[in-house]
Amino acid sequence: MTVTYWVTGVLVCRPVVKPPAFEYVAAASLDEALACRTEHEDESVVLAGGQSLIPLMSLRMALPSVVIDIGPIRELAYIRDTGGGVAIGAMTRQRDLERSDLMAERFPLFAQALARLAHPAIRNRGTLGGSLAHADPAAELPTVAVALDAEIVLRSVGVERVLSAADFFRATMTTAIDPEELVVEVRVPSRWERRPDRTVRSSFKKLARRDGDFALVGIASVVAISALGTIEDARLVLSGVGGTPVRARGAEDLLRGTEPTAATLTAAARRAAADLDPSGDLHATAEYRRRAAGVLARRALEEAVA
Amino acid sequence: MIEVQLVVNGAERRATVEPRRTLADFLREDLVLTGTHLGCEHGVCGACTVLVDGVSARSCLMLIGQASGTEITTIEGLAGADGFHPLQEAMRDSHAFQCGFCTPGFMMVAVELLRDNPHPTEAEVRAAISGNLCRCTGYQSVVAGILQAADGGPAHRADGTGRTATDAGRS
């Protein structure tokens, strides 16, 4: 979008990169934020870290009437051991998630993915809840959430809903969040937790032109290895190959119960690529994404079982 | 309009502004601190990077309401009473800028890096600055300048005077 005007006889055409006018609400509490959502519904947007929302507003692709800033709600930022996994508040900054000792110990996949997410300045402000709610098909955290069988907790006035990550992501940049709801928490169950009595290994791979760019293809993988050294179970979840995170179920089935040899890993990676039906765009063709997915899957698995 | 109050380079500032004002525009237009630059205004180039409560952030990706109650450090806040910040001297000595448009953004990122990691490897420097774009230098001199400013680099003068970037970060 551009504006055109005359400046002393010269026609000037410059892009508009400022947000349009809106009502700003700095919510002091979750109750206030939810009441505001109920009042304004589709006319409102929720501002968490702002690293995706503010560019959309500046480029005038998002035109909300009301911006509800949930940044002041400190109670929404936390990382807690729940005894059977971890609960993470939606406003937890990506930076804090990346540096958390608890997460590094239990679910290192987060730090592996976050190291490749944009740049430090973005991660200093961006949040877990915001990234999931934004649901960019190239994003890292949605694939991590799906890979770890995470649950997303949604609140509206008087109501709490819990959805599996798989059910939460519906289409490109479209989630199950209703207009009067907020994402408040992400629950990561103990299923893929790294524990002394259990070998769980993870790997995150991302193909991008430059460090920190949006992924052309990304993959989050987690593998549980039995005491005998066989693959008990695995999750391979891809970004950039569909509107939502894509689970390579065929590849996972091939891996289950096998010895992690070069042959089994290669076969699984090949299967992961073959099962894909990606779209092409300006940044990469469908065929390129498919082939890259196969290569990344193999590298992710090799790293995970090494 | 909303009321905001924030500390910028050590000074408390208050204003009544439109909530759609970004922190970048507030710094440049309302406070006339034009050292923070606008390259892309959608978070990609890093020219607008400042420190918010001590950590780097894209000021074009913050609404002024979000910045209310915080402490902001811009490029104008780096030099002290006794002269340039050691990082500024090192960047100058390494010819780490040409047109200078990207430079404030690189500086704020480097201040954060050297505070948190006084002895970065070249790879760590490159990773830290990967979010800042420069069209002039080709980055080699920028990396050299940051490494020079790091603890133990030539920021120490032969006569024992001169502070490192890490010393400055602690003061």
Side-chain angles (χ1 to χ4, degrees):
Chain A
M1 182 187 163
T2 59
V3 288
T4 307
Y5 48 90
W6 290 96
V7 175
T8 56
V10 177
L11 189 65
V12 172
C13 205
R14 47 176 289 282
V16 175
V17 207
K18 309 293 179 192
F22 53 79
E23 185 194 332
Y24 173 81
V25 176
S29 67
L30 180 59
D31 285 342
E32 184 184 344
L34 293 177
C36 206
R37 277 292 263 173
T38 301
E39 187 185 341
H40 298 287
E41 290 197 348
D42 270 337
E43 294 293 307
S44 69
V45 291
V46 178
L47 175 61
Q51 305 302 283
S52 296
L53 179 62
I54 295 177
L56 283 183
M57 290 169 58
S58 290
L59 294 169
R60 302 208 168 184
M61 293 186 217
L63 303 165
S65 306
V66 181
V67 173
I68 307 169
D69 183 358
I70 60 170
I73 310 174
R74 302 245 179 259
E75 311 85 71
L76 283 181
Y78 53 86
I79 304 171
R80 273 178 216 142
D81 181 346
T82 57
V86 170
I88 309 164
M91 267 303 298
T92 304
R93 305 280 179 188
Q94 290 157 8
R95 165 202 178 89
D96 294 329
L97 206 47
E98 189 180 355
R99 290 162 192 236
S100 158
D101 290 335
L102 179 64
M103 296 306 291
E105 188 192 308
R106 304 285 187 81
F107 298 102
L109 181 58
F110 275 94
Q112 289 168 318
L114 287 159
R116 303 300 309 277
L117 194 162
H119 305 286
I122 302 286
R123 302 200 293 274
N124 285 339
R125 301 286 308 167
T127 63
L128 172 62
S131 178
L132 298 182
H134 185 65
D136 191 307
E140 296 76 8
L141 292 170
T143 62
V144 171
V146 173
L148 298 178
D149 294 336
E151 292 179 317
I152 318 292
V153 183
L154 298 162
R155 287 276 311 272
S156 55
V157 175
V159 178
E160 181 178 281
R161 299 201 284 156
V162 183
L163 294 179
S164 69
D167 289 340
F168 177 77
F169 298 105
R170 294 284 163 89
T172 302
M173 300 176 74
T174 310
T175 66
I177 304 173
D178 283 339
E180 69 281 6
E181 282 182 323
L182 284 189
V183 177
V184 293
E185 184 177 273
V186 178
R187 293 178 187 161
V188 190
S190 62
R191 196 206 159 96
W192 298 102
E193 193 169 21
R194 210 169 63 158
R195 294 197 297 264
D197 62 328
R198 216 172 151 228
T199 306
V200 176
R201 302 288 311 281
S202 61
S203 171
F204 187 86
K205 295 292 178 192
K206 173 177 165 179
L207 177 65
R209 246 205 186 89
R210 294 168 305 186
D211 203 28
D213 276 2
F214 283 100
L216 300 176
V217 181
I219 183 164
S221 75
V222 60
V223 178
I225 314 248
S226 74
L228 301 170
T230 57
I231 296 174
E232 209 173 81
D233 200 357
R235 286 279 185 276
L236 295 177
V237 185
L238 293 136
S239 65
V241 293
T244 62
V246 174
R247 242 181 90 178
R249 287 178 187 271
E252 292 170 6
D253 290 341
L254 281 186
L255 289 168
R256 220 166 274 122
T258 66
E259 290 247 6
T261 62
T264 43
L265 299 187
T266 303
R270 211 169 267 149
R271 178 65 183 275
D275 287 348
L276 293 176
D277 184 25
S279 301
D281 68 7
L282 179 66
H283 303 289
T285 62
E287 186 52 32
Y288 184 91
R289 289 176 192 269
R290 187 199 305 280
R291 293 191 66 177
V295 173
L296 289 189
R298 185 172 46 76
R299 290 183 188 172
L301 288 172
E302 282 169 359
E303 187 177 285
V305 303
Chain B
M1 304 291 266
I2 57 171
E3 305 277 319
V4 297
Q5 167 261 318
L6 56 162
V7 176
V8 181
N9 298 330
E12 187 174 301
R13 310 301 296 257
R14 290 175 183 278
T16 304
V17 285
E18 274 195 271
R20 65 180 171 137
R21 201 65 142 175
T22 62
L23 174 60
D25 284 337
F26 179 77
L27 292 169
R28 293 175 52 78
E29 307 282 343
D30 294 276
L31 302 188
V32 200
L33 292 172
T34 54
T36 300
H37 297 151
L38 299 175
C40 71
E41 296 189 82
H42 61 282
V44 175
C45 75
C48 70
T49 308
V50 297
L51 299 182
V52 179
D53 290 333
V55 299
S56 62
R58 307 265 200 249
S59 61
C60 76
L61 296 190
M62 281 182 74
L63 297 178
I64 188 57
Q66 294 176 290
S68 194
T70 66
E71 287 195 29
I72 309 291
T73 309
T74 71
I75 187 71
E76 291 92 346
L78 281 198
D82 45 350
F84 284 126
H85 191 284
L87 178 67
Q88 290 174 305
E89 293 185 330
M91 300 276 274
R92 177 200 60 206
D93 293 347
S94 299
H95 306 289
F97 50 88
Q98 293 180 24
C99 79
F101 194 84
C102 70
T103 307
F106 274 101
M107 293 268 192
M108 305 321 290
V109 167
V111 165
E112 180 187 48
L113 170 69
L114 295 178
R115 181 196 63 212
D116 295 346
N117 183 2
H119 302 281
T121 61
E122 183 179 326
E124 286 168 337
V125 171
R126 286 182 183 273
I129 64 171
S130 62
N132 292 73
L133 301 181
C134 173
R135 301 304 288 150
C136 293
T137 65
Y139 304 100
Q140 298 287 82
S141 56
V142 177
V143 173
I146 296 170
L147 288 172
Q148 183 180 319
D151 208 356
H156 290 290
R157 301 202 186 94
D159 61 359
T161 62
R163 301 168 302 150
T164 63
T166 312
D167 295 330
R170 287 200 198 105
S171 61

